[in-house]
Amino acid sequence: MDRAVGVLADEAADETQRFMAELPPSAGEAATAPILGPRLHTDLFQYWLSLPREGGIPAASDFDPAAVRSWLADITIFNVNAPDDIAHRLVGTAIAERLGYDATGKNLLDFVDPSYRRQCSRDMHEVAWRPCGWQVRYLAHYPSGRVAHVQSLYLPLKGPAGKPPRIVSVHTPENAERYDGTADRPNFASEIARMVWIDVGFGTPG
């Protein structure tokens, strides 16, 4: 059984390496700290920096939701399982309210606009596997019909031994720009307004 698990892990690693080699990450600005978003983005980044960083990246087990409880409503944590599977592990209450339901366990890529879906996965893999930080300002269409830009910050976390890496993120929506028809699910990133790669010690794309 252990050998079978090891073979599956090797196959998953090979798939990830092929995916990252075949498709480059998106171009963006380079920074050493968040430059978009409100103070919340900087606060989360500083908390992330304060965690033990053996090998340069905090372990998911060291990330304490209680320590960020004042921001937790706007935080998500993802499991980067595979190029076609980036699962919501934790979804803050404010995010669930905007979505109209709790997306815990759902694949983020199912919510990303088809025009950006594969590239989004590649960019998330850059965060998890380079690793680095990432900020994006993008257009979001919510099931309620609300359309607004959102500014998001993504930071890498090491998963438990033998498990895929994780990403912790915080999301700050801007004021509604308009209201369209209602929908069954959100549609994220049909438009990317700005992108920033944050060097946390391992460089940035490009």
Side-chain angles (χ1 to χ4, degrees):
M1 179 64 73
D2 288 346
R3 182 177 181 279
V5 170
V7 170
L8 290 174
D10 289 344
E11 289 177 352
D14 289 345
E15 180 186 18
T16 295
Q17 290 176 0
R18 285 195 300 270
F19 174 62
M20 295 182 71
E22 289 170 2
L23 185 66
S26 295
E29 303 167 59
T32 57
I35 60 176
L36 304 180
R39 176 67 182 271
L40 171 58
H41 288 220
T42 300
D43 288 346
L44 178 62
F45 184 67
Q46 291 300 321
Y47 171 70
W48 183 89
L49 287 175
S50 75
L51 297 174
R53 299 172 65 197
E54 183 179 353
I57 298 301
S61 58
D62 287 324
F63 186 89
D64 181 8
V68 297
R69 58 183 176 273
S70 61
W71 324 319
L72 197 58
D74 286 302
I75 282 178
T76 56
I77 295 178
F78 300 98
N79 283 344
V80 184
N81 295 323
D84 60 355
D85 183 12
I86 299 176
H88 289 82
R89 182 179 180 86
L90 178 147
V91 179
T93 55
I95 295 170
E97 183 177 351
R98 291 194 291 271
L99 295 179
Y101 57 91
D102 183 359
T104 302
K106 302 293 186 182
N107 187 353
L108 167 68
L109 300 175
D110 290 341
F111 303 153
V112 176
D113 191 82
S115 66
Y116 180 60
R117 189 170 294 158
R118 182 170 169 80
Q119 188 65 54
C120 176
S121 178
R122 178 61 182 85
D123 293 340
M124 295 284 275
H125 276 67
E126 191 74 8
V127 174
W129 289 104
R130 174 181 282 271
C132 61
W134 184 39
Q135 278 192 302
V136 193
R137 181 174 181 260
Y138 56 92
L139 198 63
H141 298 248
Y142 292 100
S144 65
R146 185 177 186 269
V147 179
H149 277 88
V150 178
Q151 297 183 61
S152 296
L153 168 67
Y154 302 86
L155 296 166
L157 296 171
K158 288 186 292 189
K163 300 294 184 181
R166 297 177 187 172
I167 292 175
V168 60
S169 58
V170 65
H171 311 273
T172 52
E174 300 176 10
N175 292 332
E177 298 177 13
R178 65 180 188 273
Y179 283 85
D180 290 342
T182 58
D184 293 334
R185 65 174 63 183
N187 180 282
F188 295 138
S190 60
E191 170 195 302
I192 304 292
R194 194 173 177 188
M195 187 173 292
V196 178
W197 293 107
I198 302 171
D199 187 349
V200 296
F202 302 91
T204 58

